[in-house]
Amino acid sequence: MPQNFQFRPSRRSFLAGTAALGLTPLLACAPRPQDAAVAVPQFDTYPPVIFVHGNGDTAALWHTSIWRWESNGFPDKRLFAVDFPYPLARSNDAEYQAGRSSTQDQFEQLSVAVQAALRQTGAGRVALVGSSRGGNAIRNYLKNGPGPAYVSHAVLCGTPNHGVIVSNDKLVGSEFNGAAPFLRRLNDGLETVPGVQWMTTRSDAFDKFAQPDGAGIGMPGTPTGVTADGPALAGAKNIVLPGLDHREVAFHEKAFAATWDFIIGSPPATTKILPESNPVLNGKVNGMARGVPTNLPVEGATVEIWETNPQTGARLRSAASHRKVTGADGYWGPFQASPTATYEFVLSVPSQTTTHIYRSPFPRSSAHIHLRTAVVADRDRQAGSIVTISRPRGYFGPGRDIVTFDGQPAPGIPAGVPTNSTSTLAIPRGTAQRTVVCRCNDETIAVQSWAATDDRAVIAELHY
């Protein structure tokens, strides 16, 4: 197991002993204010919840889900999120590939995470909630490891349980190929494991990885042998969330409601995120290895946080509200935020593009606000400024979502099944720095167009 494997509770410090697992302690956040949802003691009898991210992702994708759990009174000390060090799968699961992980790697890391959560909470079993590839790790741990003794519930959200394709000559050896060894073994015999309660969530028709045509995996015109019900499992409670895409079936408020109901046994009191008076933010600067994103911490990164004008994105003060150079653990906080303020995060890593990340207000505390420098496409490097609108918890669906720059349709969003989670606006050279208003449905973020000639990139990162 890599020494830098990261596994963190939503905000509280780990108990003594976790350092032996390579799990660095987390700074405790401020006490919960009176106007926020208060943790309900009765929830201590329910299993702690561990969220498991998907291919190429980070624990950061779960922060809005964690907010919704907390808003219903679930104790933050019983909510955890895994940050796999090498989140991208190997092309062939059986062959080493630098900067990528095998199913065995994630099996071992998830096993460590479960034991850490059990020690932290004193619970007997946990609930596992996985998005996409995260469900592969969960199924592997439950079928081929000790998981059933330690897991009460397994929720798989958009997991390609029967593959993104079933083929003997394409994606050979991939863990996402229904004909390759990994999924063949998982689906041999019972698709679920007795003693664990199982649920899947899936789209009706908008999951890019559950389509009869291979366009969503870069193979247009190729039959996949997969249909919309590919994520369903025999023996599980299989929930269809109409109109949602591959990511939304994990991170949308409807996905939260279905997951809460399944684990708790009754509907949540609210799907809204209730604000705190004094949210405290923290997160990790994640790195790159040979052009591949990793979740390994970056030491020596500089993070500045500036409060901005929500209408223009301009900085409100002459000095940053927060500045820190990261240590060995990569963490840039803690930072005391306002629940109504908009912020610009400036991430500077030596020899990488300086990245200006603009965010909507943070209504609640989170230790999962992870950052990574932008990777600029060669075609965009000649622009005067590069502005990207990014939706990590969903894709952009034409006709379903309103996605605009300054009121004009965002470029590069194809018709049909939602497949893109980013859109980039290249502003011509010679244009003075200006406001760019980025919108997706009800979330609007105003940014400033920093000069690409200074090796700077701008991202408007959406919460929802």
Side-chain angles (χ1 to χ4, degrees):
M1 184 190 75
Q3 287 185 324
N4 287 310
F5 170 60
Q6 298 287 326
F7 173 69
R8 304 207 176 226
S10 67
R11 59 174 84 184
R12 304 298 183 193
S13 296
F14 265 105
L15 297 176
T18 56
L21 297 171
L23 310 175
T24 42
L26 178 67
L27 293 173
C29 291
R32 188 185 301 277
Q34 292 299 311
D35 59 344
V38 177
V40 180
Q42 73 185 48
F43 286 128
D44 286 343
T45 63
Y46 288 84
V49 182
I50 300 177
F51 298 97
V52 188
H53 65 73
N55 195 40
D57 292 333
T58 80
L61 269 71
W62 294 106
H63 81 264
T64 56
S65 302
I66 289 170
W67 285 346
R68 290 188 171 96
W69 279 80
E70 292 175 345
S71 294
N72 282 273
F74 202 86
D76 53 55
K77 66 184 179 181
R78 296 174 73 83
L79 297 168
F80 301 83
V82 173
D83 214 31
F84 290 123
Y86 297 105
L88 279 173
R90 295 175 178 179
S91 299
N92 185 324
D93 190 46
E95 297 179 0
Y96 173 77
Q97 197 171 3
R100 293 174 179 253
S101 57
S102 67
T103 55
Q104 182 63 25
D105 292 334
Q106 293 205 340
F107 169 97
E108 294 172 1
Q109 292 154 11
L110 181 57
S111 181
V112 170
V114 169
Q115 293 304 313
L118 293 176
R119 281 191 295 273
Q120 167 83 12
T121 61
R125 301 172 90 187
V126 301
L128 299 177
V129 180
S131 168
S132 192
R133 187 192 182 198
N136 281 358
I138 291 170
R139 291 187 70 195
N140 196 16
Y141 173 63
L142 291 175
K143 183 159 188 174
N144 299 315
Y150 303 116
V151 176
S152 61
H153 298 74
V155 180
L156 313 183
C157 308
T159 297
N161 287 311
H162 297 93
V164 301
I165 194 170
V166 181
S167 174
N168 292 318
D169 58 3
K170 295 178 175 63
L171 300 185
V172 175
S174 168
E175 69 177 88
F176 305 117
N177 183 351
F182 175 72
L183 282 179
R184 280 209 323 267
R185 287 193 295 265
L186 282 186
N187 293 324
D188 183 36
L190 296 176
E191 294 188 343
T192 58
V193 177
V196 178
Q197 297 185 58
W198 293 79
M199 185 176 84
T200 72
T201 61
R202 69 169 178 88
S203 178
D204 54 347
F206 291 99
D207 188 330
K208 65 183 285 189
F209 296 119
Q211 299 292 328
D213 181 86
I217 56 173
M219 301 178 187
T222 301
T224 63
V226 178
T227 63
D229 65 355
L233 287 175
K237 179 179 182 180
N238 296 301
I239 301 293
V240 177
L241 299 174
L244 301 191
D245 62 44
H246 177 71
R247 290 183 175 176
E248 288 175 322
V249 296
F251 306 112
H252 194 277
E253 63 183 48
K254 293 180 180 178
F256 156 72
T259 301
W260 172 282
D261 191 11
F262 181 67
I263 294 173
I264 303 301
S266 60
T270 182
T271 60
K272 298 185 181 301
I273 295 167
L274 305 184
E276 295 176 322
S277 295
N278 300 296
V280 177
L281 305 179
N282 205 342
K284 177 163 56 76
V285 177
N286 287 332
M288 302 284 291
R290 299 178 179 87
V292 176
T294 78
N295 292 330
L296 298 175
V298 175
E299 183 175 7
T302 301
V303 175
E304 296 179 345
I305 302 177
W306 300 77
E307 187 175 352
T308 63
N309 182 313
Q311 278 74 49
T312 67
R315 296 171 179 177
L316 293 179
R317 297 175 179 81
S318 59
S321 300
H322 176 81
R323 185 181 189 276
K324 182 177 178 180
V325 177
T326 58
D329 67 355
Y331 271 74
W332 54 257
F335 167 61
Q336 180 77 59
S338 163
T340 58
T342 54
Y343 292 104
E344 172 197 358
F345 293 71
V346 184
L347 172 59
S348 302
V349 177
S351 303
Q352 296 184 28
T353 298
T354 299
T355 306
H356 300 255
I357 306 169
Y358 291 79
R359 301 294 295 262
S360 296
F362 290 86
R364 298 187 66 85
S365 299
S366 178
H368 300 301
I369 310 305
H370 298 337
L371 308 174
R372 184 182 286 118
T373 55
V375 177
V376 179
D378 290 341
R379 67 177 182 276
D380 293 328
R381 288 196 173 275
Q382 303 308 310
S385 184
I386 306 158
V387 179
T388 298
I389 182 171
S390 173
R391 190 181 181 213
R393 292 159 203 86
Y395 293 94
F396 298 132
R400 185 193 68 170
D401 301 314
I402 299 172
V403 188
T404 62
F405 289 107
D406 292 331
Q408 300 302 309
I413 300 176
V417 174
T419 57
N420 288 14
S421 62
T422 63
S423 175
T424 297
L425 176 69
I427 298 174
R429 289 195 179 198
T431 304
Q433 185 176 28
R434 68 174 181 87
T435 297
V436 180
V437 178
C438 308
R439 177 191 175 191
C440 177
N441 299 329
D442 295 329
E443 189 172 3
T444 299
I445 301 175
V447 310
Q448 289 288 301
S449 59
W450 294 88
T453 51
D454 296 334
D455 198 18
R456 295 176 182 269
V458 180
I459 298 174
E461 183 174 325
L462 302 161
H463 278 322
Y464 310 107

